[in-house]
Every structure is written in C-alpha cells, then in structure tokens.
Amino acid sequence: MAVIALMLALFLLLQVVSLKRQVNELRDELHQRNNWIDDTTSASAPLNPTAPGGFADGYGDELSPELEDRLRELVRQGKKIVAIKELRMTRNLSLAEAKRIVDRLEQR
C-alpha cells in the first residue's frame, strides 16, 4: 500500500512540475505580447523595419506574401473589416492587434 501511495505522490509531483513549466512558458509569451503592444502603441515605426514593405504580426513572424497581398486586396476593395477578421483568424490575434496591422497596410 505504501508503494502505491509513493508512486502516486511521485506521479502527482511530476504533473505539478510539468504544469509549472507550462505556466511559466505562457507567462513569458504573455509578457512578450504585452511588451510588443506597448512598443507599437508608443511608436509609429513600421511593424518590421528589417523587411522594407513587409509586415510582421509582432511575434517574430512576418506575414506571408500571400496573406499580405490578400489583406491589401480586401482593403483596396473597401472590405477592411473582412481583412481584420481574416488576419485575426489566420494569426490568432486580438481585434486591436489585427486592426493595427490592417491600418498600417492601408496607409502604405
């Protein structure tokens, strides 16, 4: 009986350690996103200054040329809301983040 209790305790400890690691990863990701949002609201720099004409979603990944072209076409057609929705769904962004990116696409 003691062996089973010890094994169960060890199993639960491993689960706690795993969950703690996941929480820390999520906290780091949230911190990075919050820093990016703070940076974009305080600066009017391009989204990805290292890629002229390119746009990044703020998390290190550039928009694919196909997605950027699609979003530009939707904006050109006056379907800005559709462009924002598509960007949100494709990149899993908040409404504010997607709108900010589409607004910058529209300005160029």
Side-chain angles (χ1 to χ4, degrees):
M1 186 67 157
V3 173
I4 293 174
L6 184 60
M7 289 176 61
L8 181 59
L10 182 60
F11 173 76
L12 291 174
L13 180 63
L14 290 174
Q15 292 296 329
V16 168
V17 168
S18 175
L19 289 172
K20 178 70 173 169
R21 181 186 50 80
Q22 291 174 357
V23 166
N24 287 335
E25 289 173 1
L26 290 171
R27 185 181 307 131
D28 290 343
E29 183 179 339
L30 182 61
H31 180 71
Q32 289 173 348
R33 287 182 183 213
N34 285 339
N35 284 343
W36 178 81
I37 290 170
D38 291 343
D39 290 345
T40 59
T41 56
S42 65
S44 60
L47 289 174
N48 186 3
T50 61
F55 288 84
D57 65 10
Y59 307 110
D61 298 325
E62 291 183 29
L63 296 179
S64 68
E66 298 82 17
L67 178 59
E68 186 175 335
D69 290 344
R70 169 90 174 120
L71 296 175
R72 285 184 189 276
E73 181 61 24
L74 287 169
V75 169
R76 189 187 65 74
Q77 294 173 1
K79 299 179 180 178
K80 186 175 177 180
I81 294 173
V82 174
I84 292 169
K85 285 181 180 180
E86 186 165 325
L87 183 57
R88 286 188 71 199
M89 295 298 295
T90 305
R91 304 301 282 191
N92 194 28
L93 298 175
S94 72
L95 177 60
E97 292 165 330
K99 183 180 182 310
R100 206 171 287 126
I101 291 170
V102 170
D103 284 344
R104 289 196 182 169
L105 280 170
E106 185 178 36
Q107 292 172 358
R108 291 189 171 218

XYZ file of all heavy atoms in Angstrom:
859
model
N 0.818 -1.186 0.000
C 0.000 0.000 0.000
C 0.867 1.257 0.000
O 0.561 2.215 -0.692
C -0.920 -0.033 1.227
C -1.918 1.072 1.246
S -3.077 0.817 -0.098
C -4.425 1.714 0.475
N 1.944 1.244 0.771
C 2.848 2.393 0.849
C 3.531 2.636 -0.492
O 3.771 3.783 -0.875
C 3.878 2.180 1.948
N 3.830 1.557 -1.214
C 4.482 1.683 -2.513
C 3.545 2.383 -3.493
O 3.962 3.264 -4.261
C 4.908 0.292 -3.036
C 5.427 0.391 -4.453
C 5.950 -0.323 -2.119
N 2.278 2.029 -3.478
C 1.299 2.647 -4.375
C 1.147 4.138 -4.042
O 1.115 4.984 -4.938
C -0.058 1.921 -4.287
C 0.088 0.506 -4.848
C -1.137 2.689 -5.026
C -1.141 -0.345 -4.680
N 1.098 4.456 -2.759
C 0.988 5.846 -2.335
C 2.217 6.643 -2.768
O 2.102 7.791 -3.224
C 0.799 5.930 -0.831
N 3.395 6.041 -2.645
C 4.625 6.701 -3.058
C 4.646 6.928 -4.565
O 5.032 8.000 -5.041
C 5.834 5.869 -2.610
C 7.200 6.468 -2.885
C 7.345 7.811 -2.184
C 8.282 5.517 -2.434
N 4.217 5.936 -5.338
C 4.170 6.062 -6.794
C 3.172 7.148 -7.205
O 3.433 7.942 -8.110
C 3.823 4.727 -7.442
C 4.959 3.710 -7.347
S 4.547 2.100 -8.005
C 4.182 2.476 -9.694
N 2.028 7.186 -6.547
C 1.022 8.193 -6.832
C 1.559 9.592 -6.508
O 1.379 10.535 -7.275
C -0.257 7.918 -6.038
C -1.405 8.887 -6.266
C -1.818 8.903 -7.733
C -2.581 8.530 -5.387
N 2.249 9.716 -5.378
C 2.829 11.003 -4.994
C 3.876 11.451 -6.013
O 3.931 12.629 -6.395
C 3.441 10.911 -3.603
N 4.695 10.525 -6.490
C 5.706 10.843 -7.488
C 5.057 11.277 -8.797
O 5.464 12.254 -9.421
C 6.624 9.633 -7.713
C 7.764 9.824 -8.702
C 8.681 10.954 -8.244
C 8.538 8.545 -8.861
N 4.023 10.555 -9.199
C 3.295 10.901 -10.417
C 2.698 12.314 -10.302
O 2.817 13.131 -11.222
C 2.184 9.878 -10.684
C 1.299 10.253 -11.827
C 1.726 10.113 -13.137
C 0.030 10.766 -11.593
C 0.905 10.474 -14.190
C -0.803 11.120 -12.643
C -0.363 10.977 -13.949
N 2.078 12.623 -9.196
C 1.476 13.932 -8.998
C 2.535 15.031 -8.976
O 2.327 16.126 -9.510
C 0.647 13.959 -7.714
C -0.634 13.112 -7.743
C -1.302 13.106 -6.371
C -1.586 13.614 -8.805
N 3.678 14.746 -8.378
C 4.769 15.712 -8.350
C 5.252 16.018 -9.766
O 5.482 17.177 -10.124
C 5.924 15.197 -7.487
C 7.134 16.118 -7.384
C 6.752 17.425 -6.703
C 8.250 15.434 -6.616
N 5.383 14.990 -10.585
C 5.797 15.191 -11.972
C 4.763 16.021 -12.735
O 5.116 16.867 -13.558
C 6.028 13.848 -12.661
C 7.253 13.063 -12.192
C 7.287 11.689 -12.844
C 8.521 13.829 -12.484
N 3.500 15.796 -12.462
C 2.437 16.573 -13.108
C 2.517 18.042 -12.701
O 2.356 18.941 -13.518
C 1.053 15.998 -12.774
C 0.787 14.641 -13.381
C 0.769 14.687 -14.893
O 0.397 15.665 -15.504
N 1.192 13.597 -15.502
N 2.760 18.287 -11.429
C 2.872 19.659 -10.927
C 4.058 20.364 -11.592
O 3.951 21.516 -12.009
C 2.991 19.676 -9.387
C 3.408 21.046 -8.883
C 1.687 19.247 -8.754
N 5.182 19.678 -11.701
C 6.370 20.261 -12.325
C 6.081 20.589 -13.789
O 6.430 21.668 -14.284
C 7.582 19.314 -12.185
C 8.739 19.769 -13.064
C 8.007 19.217 -10.737
N 5.404 19.691 -14.484
C 5.052 19.916 -15.885
C 4.116 21.110 -16.033
O 4.297 21.961 -16.908
C 4.402 18.662 -16.462
O 3.960 18.898 -17.771
N 3.124 21.194 -15.182
C 2.188 22.312 -15.234
C 2.879 23.636 -14.905
O 2.583 24.669 -15.517
C 1.011 22.079 -14.291
C 0.029 20.987 -14.729
C -0.980 20.711 -13.622
C -0.677 21.384 -16.012
N 3.788 23.610 -13.968
C 4.534 24.813 -13.605
C 5.345 25.314 -14.797
O 5.394 26.516 -15.079
C 5.452 24.506 -12.410
C 6.302 25.651 -11.959
C 5.493 26.732 -11.316
C 6.423 27.783 -10.722
N 5.724 28.959 -10.315
N 5.964 24.401 -15.521
C 6.734 24.767 -16.716
C 5.816 25.399 -17.757
O 6.143 26.428 -18.355
C 7.424 23.533 -17.299
C 8.267 23.836 -18.538
C 8.832 22.580 -19.179
N 7.850 21.539 -19.414
C 6.995 21.526 -20.447
N 7.007 22.503 -21.320
N 6.140 20.535 -20.614
N 4.647 24.820 -17.971
C 3.705 25.363 -18.944
C 3.225 26.751 -18.536
O 3.098 27.649 -19.374
C 2.515 24.418 -19.122
C 2.875 23.117 -19.806
C 1.703 22.135 -19.830
O 0.645 22.405 -19.296
N 1.922 20.997 -20.463
N 2.955 26.948 -17.264
C 2.530 28.262 -16.769
C 3.631 29.290 -17.008
O 3.367 30.416 -17.447
C 2.143 28.193 -15.274
C 2.029 29.578 -14.673
C 0.850 27.421 -15.090
N 4.865 28.925 -16.742
C 5.980 29.845 -16.960
C 6.125 30.202 -18.437
O 6.388 31.360 -18.779
C 7.287 29.255 -16.425
C 7.345 29.269 -14.911
O 6.682 30.074 -14.263
N 8.124 28.370 -14.347
N 5.961 29.226 -19.329
C 6.033 29.497 -20.770
C 4.918 30.447 -21.196
O 5.148 31.386 -21.965
C 5.956 28.197 -21.563
C 7.191 27.343 -21.457
C 7.031 25.983 -22.121
O 5.954 25.695 -22.685
O 7.996 25.197 -22.069
N 3.718 30.217 -20.705
C 2.595 31.094 -21.037
C 2.805 32.501 -20.487
O 2.487 33.492 -21.143
C 1.282 30.507 -20.519
C 0.792 29.259 -21.246
C -0.381 28.642 -20.503
C 0.421 29.578 -22.673
N 3.340 32.592 -19.284
C 3.623 33.903 -18.690
C 4.648 34.655 -19.528
O 4.496 35.849 -19.789
C 4.127 33.731 -17.257
C 4.323 35.070 -16.543
C 4.848 34.931 -15.123
N 4.024 34.036 -14.335
C 4.495 33.035 -13.603
N 5.787 32.792 -13.553
N 3.680 32.268 -12.912
N 5.697 33.956 -19.979
C 6.712 34.595 -20.815
C 6.114 35.072 -22.137
O 6.411 36.181 -22.598
C 7.869 33.631 -21.092
C 8.700 33.347 -19.857
O 8.597 34.113 -18.874
O 9.450 32.347 -19.880
N 5.276 34.248 -22.743
C 4.641 34.629 -24.011
C 3.735 35.842 -23.815
O 3.743 36.773 -24.621
C 3.840 33.464 -24.580
C 3.219 33.781 -25.924
C 2.450 32.614 -26.504
O 2.692 31.465 -26.097
O 1.603 32.868 -27.360
N 2.967 35.860 -22.754
C 2.088 36.994 -22.465
C 2.911 38.255 -22.229
O 2.560 39.336 -22.721
C 1.222 36.683 -21.241
C 0.226 37.750 -20.834
C -0.778 38.017 -21.955
C -0.514 37.319 -19.576
N 4.006 38.116 -21.522
C 4.886 39.259 -21.271
C 5.430 39.813 -22.593
O 5.455 41.026 -22.804
C 6.021 38.845 -20.342
C 6.965 39.952 -20.021
N 6.619 41.013 -19.215
C 8.242 40.166 -20.404
C 7.646 41.827 -19.127
N 8.643 41.338 -19.832
N 5.848 38.929 -23.505
C 6.359 39.360 -24.800
C 5.275 40.072 -25.598
O 5.524 41.102 -26.222
C 6.886 38.166 -25.594
C 8.168 37.606 -25.046
C 8.582 36.323 -25.749
O 7.808 35.729 -26.497
N 9.797 35.889 -25.506
N 4.054 39.539 -25.590
C 2.956 40.174 -26.318
C 2.632 41.533 -25.729
O 2.400 42.485 -26.462
C 1.711 39.289 -26.301
C 1.848 38.088 -27.186
C 0.587 37.256 -27.175
N 0.792 36.077 -27.987
C -0.160 35.506 -28.691
N -1.378 35.973 -28.653
N 0.103 34.451 -29.420
N 2.607 41.646 -24.418
C 2.325 42.930 -23.788
C 3.407 43.955 -24.115
O 3.107 45.113 -24.359
C 2.188 42.777 -22.276
C 0.879 42.137 -21.881
O -0.084 42.140 -22.633
N 0.839 41.577 -20.693
N 4.650 43.527 -24.122
C 5.737 44.441 -24.485
C 5.601 44.893 -25.925
O 5.834 46.047 -26.246
C 7.102 43.774 -24.276
C 7.485 43.707 -22.822
O 6.927 44.407 -21.990
N 8.440 42.849 -22.507
N 5.208 43.984 -26.826
C 5.038 44.348 -28.224
C 3.911 45.353 -28.373
O 4.043 46.340 -29.081
C 4.764 43.109 -29.081
C 4.554 43.489 -30.508
C 5.515 43.760 -31.436
C 3.301 43.659 -31.175
N 4.940 44.077 -32.624
C 3.582 44.026 -32.494
C 1.983 43.531 -30.776
C 2.577 44.268 -33.426
C 0.988 43.768 -31.708
C 1.285 44.137 -33.017
N 2.808 45.135 -27.671
C 1.679 46.059 -27.756
C 2.104 47.432 -27.248
O 1.790 48.452 -27.856
C 0.460 45.518 -26.978
C -0.110 44.306 -27.708
C -0.608 46.591 -26.804
C -1.160 43.553 -26.921
N 2.838 47.476 -26.139
C 3.325 48.748 -25.611
C 4.238 49.442 -26.620
O 4.160 50.652 -26.810
C 4.083 48.546 -24.303
C 3.169 48.120 -23.159
O 1.937 48.295 -23.285
O 3.692 47.598 -22.157
N 5.098 48.680 -27.274
C 6.019 49.255 -28.257
C 5.268 49.818 -29.455
O 5.608 50.876 -29.963
C 7.030 48.214 -28.737
C 8.029 47.833 -27.662
O 8.127 48.565 -26.655
O 8.708 46.806 -27.831
N 4.250 49.115 -29.941
C 3.545 49.563 -31.137
C 2.626 50.737 -30.851
O 2.357 51.527 -31.742
C 2.727 48.433 -31.778
O 1.785 47.935 -30.831
C 3.621 47.322 -32.286
N 2.147 50.865 -29.632
C 1.277 51.994 -29.333
C 2.078 53.262 -29.065
O 1.556 54.353 -29.210
C 0.371 51.706 -28.111
O 1.174 51.368 -26.997
C -0.606 50.601 -28.417
N 3.346 53.124 -28.718
C 4.150 54.303 -28.415
C 5.038 54.721 -29.573
O 5.643 55.777 -29.523
C 5.011 54.046 -27.180
O 5.941 53.031 -27.450
N 5.112 53.924 -30.613
C 5.989 54.256 -31.739
C 5.233 54.101 -33.044
O 4.343 53.276 -33.163
C 7.217 53.339 -31.733
N 5.621 54.888 -34.005
C 4.962 54.780 -35.305
C 5.874 54.116 -36.322
O 5.721 54.306 -37.514
C 4.542 56.161 -35.791
O 5.694 56.979 -35.919
N 6.830 53.347 -35.852
C 7.762 52.649 -36.728
C 7.035 51.548 -37.473
O 6.006 51.061 -37.025
C 8.902 52.049 -35.911
N 7.563 51.139 -38.637
C 6.941 50.026 -39.351
C 6.922 48.777 -38.482
O 7.718 48.639 -37.567
C 7.836 49.818 -40.572
C 8.870 50.876 -40.536
C 8.745 51.642 -39.267
N 6.024 47.875 -38.787
C 5.895 46.670 -37.993
C 7.142 45.812 -38.052
O 7.478 45.136 -37.108
C 4.680 45.873 -38.453
C 3.347 46.491 -38.103
C 2.222 45.698 -38.739
C 3.149 46.561 -36.611
N 7.807 45.792 -39.188
C 9.043 45.021 -39.295
C 10.070 45.857 -40.046
O 10.178 45.756 -41.256
C 8.792 43.697 -40.022
C 10.024 42.821 -40.021
O 11.043 43.179 -39.444
N 9.949 41.684 -40.658
N 10.834 46.677 -39.337
C 11.757 47.572 -40.004
C 12.871 46.859 -40.743
O 13.506 47.443 -41.592
C 12.324 48.421 -38.855
C 12.050 47.658 -37.611
C 10.862 46.792 -37.894
N 13.111 45.594 -40.471
C 14.183 44.869 -41.145
C 13.746 44.349 -42.503
O 14.577 43.916 -43.282
C 14.672 43.676 -40.299
O 13.568 42.788 -40.105
C 15.202 44.143 -38.962
N 12.459 44.391 -42.792
C 11.969 43.926 -44.083
C 11.157 45.043 -44.724
O 9.977 45.169 -44.471
C 11.119 42.675 -43.921
N 11.798 45.892 -45.542
C 11.085 47.020 -46.135
C 9.832 46.560 -46.870
O 9.873 45.637 -47.677
C 12.106 47.611 -47.115
C 13.428 47.136 -46.628
C 13.173 45.806 -45.971
N 8.741 47.201 -46.547
C 7.477 46.849 -47.185
C 6.815 45.644 -46.571
O 5.681 45.322 -46.888
N 7.519 44.946 -45.695
C 6.952 43.756 -45.081
C 6.273 44.094 -43.776
O 6.538 45.117 -43.169
N 5.401 43.228 -43.363
C 4.694 43.437 -42.110
C 4.852 42.203 -41.261
O 4.786 41.091 -41.750
C 3.204 43.698 -42.369
C 2.968 45.047 -42.962
C 3.088 45.260 -44.310
C 2.668 46.114 -42.147
C 2.881 46.505 -44.848
C 2.464 47.372 -42.673
C 2.570 47.567 -44.029
N 5.044 42.424 -39.976
C 5.151 41.319 -39.034
C 3.962 41.383 -38.101
O 3.355 42.423 -37.923
C 6.450 41.406 -38.238
N 3.623 40.260 -37.519
C 2.486 40.251 -36.594
C 2.903 40.621 -35.180
O 2.087 40.624 -34.292
C 1.780 38.898 -36.607
C 2.639 37.767 -36.080
O 3.722 38.037 -35.529
O 2.227 36.612 -36.201
N 4.165 40.959 -34.980
C 4.613 41.389 -33.673
C 5.176 40.277 -32.824
O 5.609 40.492 -31.726
N 5.176 39.072 -33.304
C 5.674 37.947 -32.525
C 6.826 37.274 -33.241
O 7.088 36.117 -33.045
C 4.550 36.943 -32.252
C 3.366 37.631 -31.647
C 2.199 37.798 -32.361
C 3.448 38.164 -30.372
C 1.139 38.473 -31.811
C 2.394 38.842 -29.821
C 1.239 38.988 -30.541
O 0.182 39.654 -30.004
N 7.493 38.014 -34.105
C 8.664 37.476 -34.759
C 8.397 36.846 -36.111
O 9.314 36.541 -36.829
N 7.160 36.661 -36.478
C 6.841 36.043 -37.755
C 6.290 37.092 -38.705
O 5.371 37.812 -38.371
C 5.795 34.934 -37.595
C 6.275 33.815 -36.710
O 7.469 33.507 -36.741
O 5.438 33.257 -36.011
N 6.840 37.153 -39.913
C 6.311 38.070 -40.905
C 5.036 37.495 -41.479
O 4.826 36.290 -41.481
C 7.325 38.264 -42.014
C 8.557 39.012 -41.588
C 9.505 39.235 -42.736
O 9.040 39.326 -43.886
O 10.698 39.301 -42.476
N 4.202 38.398 -41.993
C 3.032 37.930 -42.723
C 3.527 37.310 -44.014
O 4.437 37.814 -44.658
C 2.100 39.103 -43.042
C 1.476 39.825 -41.864
C 0.605 40.966 -42.372
C 0.667 38.896 -41.009
N 2.908 36.230 -44.417
C 3.297 35.617 -45.681
C 2.927 36.574 -46.808
O 1.970 37.349 -46.684
C 2.581 34.281 -45.865
O 1.196 34.494 -46.054
N 3.671 36.540 -47.913
C 3.337 37.434 -49.032
C 1.902 37.222 -49.522
O 1.226 38.181 -49.878
C 4.344 37.041 -50.110
C 5.487 36.430 -49.371
C 4.893 35.768 -48.169
N 1.451 35.965 -49.515
C 0.089 35.683 -49.961
C -0.934 36.335 -49.049
O -1.907 36.932 -49.509
C -0.170 34.163 -50.017
C 0.710 33.416 -50.995
C 2.093 33.075 -50.435
O 2.295 33.125 -49.198
O 2.976 32.790 -51.248
N -0.724 36.222 -47.722
C -1.659 36.823 -46.773
C -1.622 38.336 -46.875
O -2.672 38.994 -46.896
C -1.337 36.383 -45.342
C -2.217 36.988 -44.243
C -3.684 36.652 -44.460
C -1.760 36.502 -42.876
N -0.440 38.897 -46.972
C -0.331 40.351 -47.096
C -1.032 40.844 -48.356
O -1.775 41.823 -48.328
C 1.136 40.772 -47.104
C 1.312 42.276 -47.075
C 2.766 42.695 -46.959
O 3.590 41.922 -46.447
O 3.055 43.824 -47.385
N -0.821 40.143 -49.485
C -1.494 40.518 -50.735
C -3.006 40.416 -50.596
O -3.744 41.285 -51.058
C -1.026 39.626 -51.896
C 0.412 39.899 -52.290
O 0.966 40.948 -51.896
O 0.998 39.039 -52.987
N -3.469 39.343 -49.955
C -4.914 39.153 -49.764
C -5.494 40.281 -48.912
O -6.550 40.832 -49.233
C -5.160 37.797 -49.105
C -6.561 37.554 -48.615
C -7.420 36.921 -49.671
N -8.710 36.597 -49.081
C -9.853 37.097 -49.523
N -9.872 37.864 -50.574
N -10.979 36.790 -48.941
N -4.805 40.628 -47.825
C -5.281 41.702 -46.960
C -5.290 43.039 -47.692
O -6.243 43.818 -47.576
C -4.416 41.793 -45.699
C -4.445 40.575 -44.771
C -3.444 40.750 -43.640
C -5.838 40.304 -44.241
N -4.235 43.317 -48.451
C -4.186 44.566 -49.225
C -5.340 44.628 -50.226
O -5.949 45.682 -50.410
C -2.855 44.690 -49.959
C -1.694 45.047 -49.077
C -0.424 45.235 -49.921
N 0.740 45.369 -49.089
C 1.141 46.510 -48.545
N 0.439 47.597 -48.737
N 2.226 46.554 -47.797
N -5.633 43.521 -50.872
C -6.727 43.479 -51.850
C -8.068 43.725 -51.168
O -8.912 44.474 -51.680
C -6.730 42.133 -52.586
C -7.813 42.003 -53.640
C -7.699 43.028 -54.763
O -6.599 43.553 -55.025
O -8.745 43.317 -55.389
N -8.279 43.111 -50.012
C -9.528 43.339 -49.273
C -9.666 44.811 -48.875
O -10.742 45.399 -49.008
C -9.587 42.442 -48.035
C -9.834 40.963 -48.302
C -9.616 40.137 -47.038
C -11.249 40.734 -48.832
N -8.579 45.413 -48.408
C -8.608 46.828 -48.036
C -8.899 47.681 -49.265
O -9.708 48.606 -49.217
C -7.284 47.243 -47.352
C -7.201 48.751 -47.198
C -7.147 46.562 -45.996
N -8.262 47.366 -50.388
C -8.474 48.113 -51.631
C -9.935 48.060 -52.070
O -10.487 49.013 -52.586
C -7.573 47.569 -52.742
C -7.570 48.433 -54.006
C -6.814 47.785 -55.143
N -7.431 46.558 -55.609
C -8.540 46.483 -56.340
N -9.179 47.566 -56.686
N -9.021 45.317 -56.730
N -10.588 46.902 -51.815
C -11.990 46.711 -52.185
C -12.942 47.335 -51.162
O -14.153 47.242 -51.315
C -12.308 45.223 -52.310
C -11.600 44.530 -53.436
C -11.826 43.025 -53.409
O -12.526 42.486 -52.549
N -11.217 42.327 -54.354
N -12.401 47.950 -50.123
C -13.244 48.555 -49.097
C -13.762 47.545 -48.080
O -14.712 47.817 -47.355
N -13.120 46.389 -47.998
C -13.531 45.329 -47.072
C -12.539 45.218 -45.916
O -12.020 44.152 -45.606
C -13.632 43.992 -47.813
C -14.661 44.001 -48.927
C -14.698 42.675 -49.651
C -15.721 42.694 -50.764
N -15.730 41.428 -51.501
N -12.324 46.348 -45.264
C -11.347 46.405 -44.179
C -11.733 45.475 -43.021
O -10.881 44.806 -42.443
C -11.224 47.843 -43.697
C -10.152 48.073 -42.677
C -10.035 49.562 -42.371
C -9.013 49.804 -41.301
N -8.891 51.236 -40.998
N -13.009 45.427 -42.697
C -13.458 44.569 -41.595
C -13.207 43.100 -41.916
O -12.772 42.330 -41.058
C -14.944 44.835 -41.267
C -15.095 46.252 -40.705
C -15.485 43.798 -40.293
C -16.515 46.699 -40.509
N -13.435 42.717 -43.164
C -13.171 41.339 -43.578
C -11.674 41.043 -43.468
O -11.277 39.963 -43.021
C -13.682 41.084 -45.014
C -13.291 39.708 -45.508
C -15.187 41.278 -45.090
N -10.851 42.024 -43.839
C -9.394 41.850 -43.742
C -8.973 41.655 -42.287
O -8.151 40.785 -41.981
C -8.682 43.055 -44.352
N -9.556 42.442 -41.403
C -9.229 42.318 -39.972
C -9.659 40.946 -39.459
O -8.905 40.268 -38.752
C -9.893 43.454 -39.168
C -9.246 44.791 -39.532
C -9.783 43.199 -37.666
C -9.990 46.011 -39.011
N -10.857 40.510 -39.833
C -11.340 39.196 -39.392
C -10.439 38.079 -39.912
O -10.110 37.144 -39.177
C -12.773 38.960 -39.877
C -13.815 39.739 -39.121
C -15.205 39.433 -39.660
C -16.268 40.204 -38.932
N -17.608 39.914 -39.455
N -10.055 38.180 -41.170
C -9.191 37.143 -41.750
C -7.838 37.099 -41.056
O -7.323 36.025 -40.748
C -9.010 37.382 -43.247
C -8.242 36.261 -43.907
C -8.346 36.284 -45.418
O -9.404 36.657 -45.947
O -7.354 35.905 -46.053
N -7.268 38.266 -40.773
C -5.985 38.313 -40.073
C -6.110 37.742 -38.666
O -5.243 36.991 -38.212
C -5.461 39.747 -40.022
C -4.094 39.954 -39.384
C -3.025 39.113 -40.069
C -3.720 41.424 -39.405
N -7.196 38.073 -37.978
C -7.410 37.539 -36.625
C -7.482 36.018 -36.654
O -6.883 35.346 -35.811
C -8.711 38.091 -36.035
C -8.621 39.522 -35.622
C -9.845 39.957 -34.877
N -9.822 39.317 -33.565
C -10.886 39.174 -32.788
N -12.059 39.606 -33.173
N -10.781 38.597 -31.613
N -8.225 35.478 -37.606
C -8.392 34.030 -37.682
C -7.086 33.342 -38.089
O -6.746 32.291 -37.563
C -9.499 33.672 -38.685
C -10.869 34.147 -38.263
S -11.440 33.431 -36.717
C -11.579 31.731 -37.186
N -6.371 33.942 -39.029
C -5.143 33.333 -39.546
C -4.020 33.354 -38.532
O -3.289 32.385 -38.381
C -4.692 34.069 -40.825
O -5.761 34.065 -41.755
C -3.486 33.400 -41.443
N -3.882 34.471 -37.816
C -2.740 34.639 -36.922
C -3.099 34.584 -35.445
O -2.251 34.790 -34.597
C -2.054 35.983 -37.209
C -1.625 36.130 -38.661
C -0.679 35.071 -39.062
N 0.610 35.432 -38.543
C 1.736 34.860 -38.842
N 1.748 33.865 -39.658
N 2.853 35.263 -38.311
N -4.376 34.354 -35.140
C -4.837 34.257 -33.750
C -4.480 35.525 -32.960
O -3.875 35.468 -31.901
C -4.270 33.009 -33.084
C -4.973 32.688 -31.787
O -6.146 33.016 -31.614
N -4.279 32.054 -30.865
N -4.877 36.670 -33.525
C -4.580 37.956 -32.907
C -5.827 38.540 -32.268
O -6.949 38.180 -32.614
C -4.076 38.944 -33.969
C -2.789 38.578 -34.693
C -2.494 39.589 -35.788
C -1.630 38.507 -33.721
N -5.618 39.487 -31.375
C -6.748 40.219 -30.798
C -7.276 41.184 -31.860
O -6.612 41.479 -32.863
C -6.304 41.005 -29.562
O -5.513 42.107 -29.943
N -8.463 41.699 -31.612
C -9.058 42.658 -32.532
C -8.169 43.886 -32.680
O -7.920 44.363 -33.797
C -10.457 43.061 -32.035
C -11.187 44.121 -32.850
C -11.401 43.650 -34.275
C -12.519 44.449 -32.189
N -7.660 44.401 -31.571
C -6.819 45.600 -31.617
C -5.528 45.354 -32.399
O -5.106 46.197 -33.201
C -6.490 46.061 -30.200
N -4.916 44.202 -32.184
C -3.663 43.891 -32.890
C -3.906 43.768 -34.392
O -3.147 44.312 -35.189
C -3.063 42.598 -32.344
C -2.572 42.721 -30.921
C -2.316 41.366 -30.274
O -2.992 40.389 -30.630
O -1.432 41.313 -29.405
N -4.948 43.050 -34.772
C -5.246 42.868 -36.195
C -5.604 44.200 -36.845
O -5.162 44.494 -37.957
C -6.386 41.867 -36.367
N -6.382 45.022 -36.158
C -6.761 46.324 -36.710
C -5.531 47.194 -36.916
O -5.403 47.874 -37.937
C -7.757 47.030 -35.806
C -8.223 48.363 -36.381
C -9.211 49.046 -35.485
C -9.721 50.342 -36.065
N -8.719 51.261 -36.531
N -4.618 47.180 -35.974
C -3.393 47.974 -36.075
C -2.591 47.577 -37.319
O -2.097 48.429 -38.057
C -2.552 47.762 -34.806
C -1.650 48.898 -34.467
C -0.999 48.727 -33.096
N -1.972 48.942 -32.041
C -2.232 48.090 -31.052
N -1.582 46.967 -30.953
N -3.134 48.376 -30.142
N -2.484 46.282 -37.565
C -1.730 45.801 -38.727
C -2.437 46.183 -40.014
O -1.818 46.676 -40.958
C -1.503 44.279 -38.630
C -0.536 43.977 -37.484
C -0.964 43.727 -39.941
C -0.419 42.515 -37.134
N -3.751 45.986 -40.078
C -4.504 46.321 -41.290
C -4.465 47.831 -41.529
O -4.340 48.283 -42.671
C -5.952 45.782 -41.209
C -6.799 46.329 -42.340
C -5.944 44.259 -41.235
N -4.531 48.636 -40.476
C -4.426 50.087 -40.625
C -3.087 50.466 -41.256
O -3.014 51.341 -42.125
C -4.568 50.797 -39.281
C -5.998 50.849 -38.780
O -6.931 50.608 -39.588
O -6.190 51.126 -37.582
N -2.032 49.822 -40.834
C -0.717 50.107 -41.406
C -0.629 49.650 -42.859
O 0.009 50.308 -43.678
C 0.382 49.472 -40.564
C 0.516 50.199 -39.241
C 1.800 49.865 -38.561
N 1.836 50.562 -37.282
C 2.722 50.318 -36.354
N 3.650 49.412 -36.546
N 2.691 50.977 -35.226
N -1.251 48.533 -43.165
C -1.299 48.093 -44.562
C -2.029 49.130 -45.406
O -1.632 49.428 -46.528
C -2.018 46.749 -44.685
C -1.229 45.509 -44.343
C -2.160 44.293 -44.279
C -0.138 45.264 -45.357
N -3.101 49.664 -44.874
C -3.927 50.637 -45.587
C -3.158 51.939 -45.846
O -3.343 52.578 -46.870
C -5.187 50.928 -44.773
C -6.180 51.819 -45.456
C -7.420 52.020 -44.607
O -7.306 52.101 -43.366
O -8.507 52.088 -45.200
N -2.280 52.309 -44.933
C -1.534 53.565 -45.052
C -0.443 53.504 -46.097
O 0.011 54.529 -46.574
C -0.931 53.947 -43.698
C -1.959 54.329 -42.670
C -1.345 54.520 -41.294
O -0.151 54.327 -41.101
N -2.179 54.888 -40.332
N -0.019 52.312 -46.456
C 1.097 52.188 -47.417
C 0.611 52.058 -48.823
O -0.353 51.592 -49.178
C 1.941 50.982 -47.053
C 2.671 51.245 -45.773
C 3.668 50.176 -45.519
N 4.468 50.596 -44.390
C 5.736 50.389 -44.293
N 6.381 49.768 -45.236
N 6.396 50.775 -43.253
